[in-house]
Amino acid sequence: MMTRTEDAAALLAGEARARALPLRTPGLEPHARRWIRSRWVSAEDLALLDILAERMGEHRPRVLLALSLAMEAPRRGSVGVDLGRWLRRQAAANTASVDAARAPELSDAGGELPADAEAWLSEVLESPLVGGPAEARRLFCVQRAGARMLVMSRRQWAAQEAIAQALTRMAADLPTPVVAPDVVEAYVDRLYKIAAPADTSREQFGRSQDNLAIAAAASRRLTVITGGPGTGKTFSVKRMLALLLEQPRAVEDGPLRIALAAPTGKAGVRMAEAMAEDLDSLGLAPPVLAAMEALEPKTLHKLLRVRPDGVVGHDEGTPLNADVVVVDEASMIDLKMMRQLLAAIGPNARLILLGDRDQLASVDAGTVLSDVVSPALDTAASKTTSGEGVALRSCVIHFTQNHRFHKAPRIAQVAQLIQRKGVDELQQAVALMDPEGDHGHGVDDPVPDRVRHLGAPRGGRLTAPQLAALTAPYLDVDGFGGRLMEVFRSRGEGGADLRDPELHRELLERLDQHRVLAAHRRGPLGVEGILRALETELFHAFDQAFVEGGRGTRLWSEAGFWLGRPVLIRENAYDLELMNGDVGLVLPVEGALRLVFPGRGEATAPLRSVALSRLPAHEGALAMTIHKSQGSQFRRIAMVLADRPSPIQTRELVYTAMTRARERIDWIGSIDALARALETPVQRSSGLSTLLWDR
């Protein structure tokens, strides 16, 4: 439900859309046009602020421009704007000149940026539109975050404050019931006898990261598990849930209610697969095993019953019907969604968050997981935190031992070096990715080409050898395309039937072994350009094989889809049981081409198919953005970096791409582009960490 202030702003926004420019505030319009043209702010925001300024007695153009930056900040991923950082960024990008010798006021003719960030902030603080955190009637707020001052909308401040209060309260609260320490010890003893490595003592096993997490979940309402892919976060959660399911409950309480969720449909599918793996190895009693097998993840939107108009079905008044809520890929949760999730957690329910703080942050505003866990993992900060921060720190468990990259230690070491973020470590990471560099660094890799550099693009485009290298994994003997062409050529000679569901299952499994990941969506080196090139190569290869094995007919196609084309779903369609990120293949089913998808849950689940005419928004699946790949994993990936400076190509982007691969990475881009990306962390402004740890 919107506050009265937000309601008024919404009504004024309608008036602003109708009026737009010209603006009434003296001296604002010429500068507004330049700022809008530079895409620093939006015309609609400035029109709204112009209306508010007229009614509130604010007549200074610089103040309104600063507040328009605060309104724009959430669209760029930040909670608010640090005016000093923003000015430095514009100067560094050569998009504006800051001349300290000139008067700081914006002139009607020049439109230069303010020269003094502190003076600019002082003007903002004096505005009747701006107040401190306690002045709830003011539409904007200024918050101190460490050494920085963030200007933000009151809505963003309220979201941060609500999250901080909820997490702090949950960190201090005890769940109902608390699992007694001796029960936890007995459970860990049982696990030790079932699955402990031969060279591990009972004491070492009890201190392992997953058993520390089990103990935390048993005694606290909040548990946050962070670590890279393959560090066992989901496996540990299975052990936690099994322990909780084993605990006796009063008859009136009924069985333990568990809700699993993820930010996206694809992440939910991957969570379901991970939860179903190796359940038999836990030695569970039949009722517990049955309860674990029945768990089915949902998207956060579906769990909270978020309607298209933004209304949420679960909140403080109607909490989730769950005793335990587990959310995977928490790094993808934005500020607004985290506020909604925490509001929906019942007063005695447990919340378990899983995520990798080094991955890309949410698409929308906020860096919630990083704000929650980073201070807890910072040794220097841990020595100074007291009070509420101590309780929160005990809820954060950091998983460091990687189990995924045993076949590719070079990938593991590069990922670990990126996580450490030091200058020397990042240089070593570049060296390990550079075939001309020093590959020593103590890496014992029996297959050194697990990381292979395919060179830099030429003239902003892929070279013919690079395109061939990106295509090859799809068409070789292990690829889905290689297998499909084998079937095409053997038609009429006792070969596999194209309509056979088992063949469909095999093709889908092979397709999921490889993916091309690009940093950008547009351009020859973005997903759109790469996808066109890859689909052209595959179509011609499939068509030739189809003709060779048939009666001279061309490759079967319908409504723009061709037999064997991989397709990626781009939006949730619950009526079709399709999720954003689902990937299928165009294959024959009952005499017609349909899009065939893997079954949900177990690998042996029945395949699903959807008529091509009913598909929601979709695109080809041979290439995807690195952002879209979050929550997925493949045996091998190819990473394509642009050959120009880009704010999108960051350390987190490269790390996310690399950690999608289990065994092999090919990459295209210059060494300079890679080094520049690793030296460029995502820069988002947030005040949540301060609210959680520094007050």
Side-chain angles (χ1 to χ4, degrees):
M1 180 179 295
M2 290 198 302
T3 65
R4 183 177 300 176
T5 299
E6 293 167 345
D7 223 4
L11 291 172
L12 286 170
E15 184 179 336
R17 278 193 294 272
R19 197 177 82 181
L21 298 175
L23 303 170
R24 298 182 185 180
T25 301
L28 176 60
E29 187 171 327
H31 311 298
R33 292 189 184 279
R34 184 226 170 152
W35 284 46
I36 293 167
R37 190 168 56 250
S38 299
R39 298 186 179 181
W40 296 335
V41 299
S42 77
E44 192 169 277
D45 288 347
L46 274 172
L48 171 60
L49 286 167
D50 188 48
I51 296 169
L52 293 171
E54 185 178 28
R55 299 181 182 184
M56 298 292 292
E58 176 56 75
H59 306 295
R60 291 167 293 181
R62 295 205 317 181
V63 171
L64 300 186
L65 291 169
L67 298 182
S68 68
L69 289 175
M71 295 176 72
E72 180 67 24
R75 302 184 193 114
R76 300 176 185 268
S78 291
V79 174
V81 61
D82 175 348
L83 296 176
R85 176 190 281 182
W86 186 85
L87 283 174
R88 291 190 296 273
R89 188 177 299 167
Q90 304 318 312
N94 294 319
T95 57
S97 61
V98 180
D99 186 356
R102 301 188 62 179
E105 286 295 327
L106 288 168
S107 69
D108 287 342
E112 68 269 15
L113 294 176
D116 187 338
E118 290 188 8
W120 194 15
L121 178 62
S122 295
E123 289 183 48
V124 171
L125 288 169
E126 295 169 358
S127 173
L129 293 169
V130 180
E135 297 175 90
R137 292 183 177 276
R138 304 289 181 97
L139 287 172
F140 293 88
C141 172
V142 175
Q143 179 199 356
R144 180 175 294 281
R148 298 180 294 121
M149 296 292 283
L150 299 182
V151 184
M152 66 187 70
S153 72
R154 182 65 55 177
R155 179 180 299 186
Q156 298 299 316
W157 161 260
Q160 288 190 138
E161 177 71 2
I163 291 170
Q165 289 181 357
L167 289 176
T168 301
R169 182 174 60 252
M170 292 186 72
D173 285 352
L174 296 177
T176 304
V178 174
V179 182
D182 60 329
V183 174
V184 176
E185 279 294 304
Y187 182 69
V188 172
D189 275 337
R190 199 173 81 216
L191 293 176
Y192 177 69
K193 295 172 183 175
I194 295 173
D199 59 348
T200 303
S201 69
R202 170 61 181 82
E203 184 179 5
Q204 291 172 321
F205 185 76
R207 293 200 310 266
S208 65
Q209 56 192 24
D210 53 341
N211 289 314
L212 290 175
I214 289 170
S219 60
R220 296 190 176 277
R221 287 189 62 208
L222 176 67
T223 307
V224 185
I225 303 175
T226 183
T231 51
K233 299 187 296 292
T234 308
F235 185 71
S236 180
V237 164
K238 285 187 283 191
R239 293 182 169 193
M240 292 180 194
L241 297 181
L243 171 63
L244 296 176
L245 283 166
E246 288 180 354
Q247 303 314 302
R249 291 171 61 84
V251 174
E252 59 271 18
D253 291 336
L256 188 73
R257 301 163 299 172
I258 299 173
L260 306 183
T264 67
K266 183 63 177 178
V269 171
R270 178 59 198 141
M271 185 184 192
E273 293 169 350
M275 291 294 294
E277 291 172 357
D278 302 321
L279 278 179
D280 292 340
S281 68
L282 298 180
L284 305 178
V288 175
L289 178 61
M292 294 285 288
E293 291 175 336
L295 296 176
E296 182 178 351
K298 298 179 179 179
T299 64
L300 279 172
H301 279 79
K302 191 170 184 179
L303 178 71
L304 299 177
R305 295 195 292 139
V306 181
R307 296 188 338 202
D309 61 3
V311 174
V312 182
H314 289 291
D315 54 19
E316 294 93 338
T318 54
L320 289 165
N321 184 30
D323 302 301
V324 184
V325 178
V326 182
V327 184
D328 199 5
E329 297 291 350
S331 64
M332 300 169 68
I333 305 177
D334 59 67
L335 197 73
K336 178 181 178 181
M337 180 58 73
M338 183 59 78
R339 180 183 186 179
Q340 292 171 337
L341 171 65
L342 293 172
I345 303 295
N348 297 312
R350 289 173 164 89
L351 174 63
I352 301 172
L353 298 175
L354 315 176
D356 183 353
R357 66 163 179 164
D358 295 305
Q359 281 190 37
L360 288 164
S362 59
V363 174
D364 293 317
T367 52
V368 178
L369 182 67
S370 180
D371 289 338
V372 172
V373 306
S374 292
L377 307 183
D378 181 349
T379 303
S382 68
K383 294 177 180 178
T384 60
T385 300
S386 60
E388 295 173 341
V390 173
L392 183 57
R393 175 163 285 102
S394 65
C395 299
V396 178
I397 311 295
H398 188 203
F399 280 21
T400 57
Q401 184 178 357
N402 196 290
H403 307 286
R404 178 182 296 181
F405 299 120
H406 60 280
K407 292 184 179 180
R410 189 177 301 280
I411 296 176
Q413 183 154 5
V414 172
Q416 290 165 359
L417 288 168
I418 294 174
Q419 285 178 310
R420 293 171 190 163
K421 303 179 178 65
V423 174
D424 292 342
E425 287 85 351
L426 295 178
Q427 290 176 348
Q428 289 181 31
V430 173
L432 287 169
M433 298 282 283
D434 179 6
E436 304 300 325
D438 176 13
H439 285 302
H441 302 298
V443 180
D444 181 15
D445 192 343
V447 187
D449 65 349
R450 294 292 190 189
V451 178
R452 186 173 61 143
H453 186 205
L454 301 178
R458 300 287 177 83
R461 295 180 178 275
L462 298 175
T463 65
Q466 287 170 341
L467 178 57
L470 296 184
T471 308
Y474 291 123
L475 294 179
D476 66 20
V477 293
D478 294 323
F480 88 97
R483 175 67 174 124
L484 192 54
M485 290 192 296
E486 177 187 320
V487 176
F488 288 164
R489 294 190 178 105
S490 65
R491 284 191 302 155
E493 300 176 6
D497 185 346
L498 278 170
R499 297 166 297 180
D500 182 3
E502 290 308 310
L503 173 64
H504 295 178
R505 189 184 303 277
E506 178 187 356
L507 293 171
L508 287 165
E509 289 173 354
R510 290 184 179 219
L511 172 63
D512 215 27
Q513 296 302 302
H514 171 64
R515 199 71 82 243
V516 176
L517 307 180
H520 295 79
R521 170 160 289 280
R522 296 181 176 83
L525 296 176
V527 167
E528 293 175 356
I530 295 170
L531 191 56
R532 282 193 298 270
L534 289 174
E535 288 199 329
T536 299
E537 294 292 313
L538 258 68
F539 177 82
H540 289 316
F542 288 0
D543 187 51
Q544 182 178 350
F546 196 81
V547 171
E548 290 173 2
R551 305 178 182 84
T553 58
R554 311 303 300 188
L555 184 66
W556 188 2
S557 63
E558 288 182 9
F561 294 89
W562 36 274
L563 176 58
R565 184 192 182 203
V567 175
L568 170 73
I569 300 301
R570 294 185 58 186
E571 64 181 29
N572 296 333
Y574 295 114
D575 57 327
L576 299 174
E577 297 185 357
L578 294 180
M579 298 293 180
N580 182 7
D582 279 353
V583 172
L585 278 173
V586 177
L587 295 168
V589 178
E590 298 178 355
L593 290 182
R594 293 171 67 90
L595 197 57
V596 179
F597 297 90
R600 296 287 189 211
E602 298 181 359
T604 57
L607 302 181
R608 302 167 294 133
S609 70
V610 177
L612 301 178
S613 61
R614 298 192 64 197
L615 292 180
H618 58 274
E619 63 186 9
L622 295 170
M624 62 198 307
T625 62
I626 297 170
H627 276 86
K628 181 71 79 172
S629 73
Q630 287 190 93
S632 302
Q633 62 171 285
F634 309 96
R635 186 174 63 84
R636 60 185 291 181
I637 65 105
M639 176 178 67
V640 181
L641 299 178
D643 59 347
R644 55 182 171 79
S646 167
I648 294 176
Q649 283 185 181
T650 61
R651 179 187 306 157
E652 292 82 358
L653 191 86
V654 173
Y655 173 84
T656 300
M658 293 200 62
T659 52
R660 299 310 93 202
R662 296 190 303 271
E663 297 182 17
R664 175 169 169 172
I665 293 172
D666 297 331
W667 71 282
I668 293 173
S670 68
I671 299 300
D672 286 345
L674 175 66
R676 193 162 50 240
L678 294 184
E679 293 166 358
T680 308
V682 171
Q683 290 191 340
R684 290 189 172 189
S685 296
S686 170
L688 178 59
S689 180
T690 299
L691 295 178
L692 286 167
W693 297 97
D694 298 338
R695 68 176 184 181

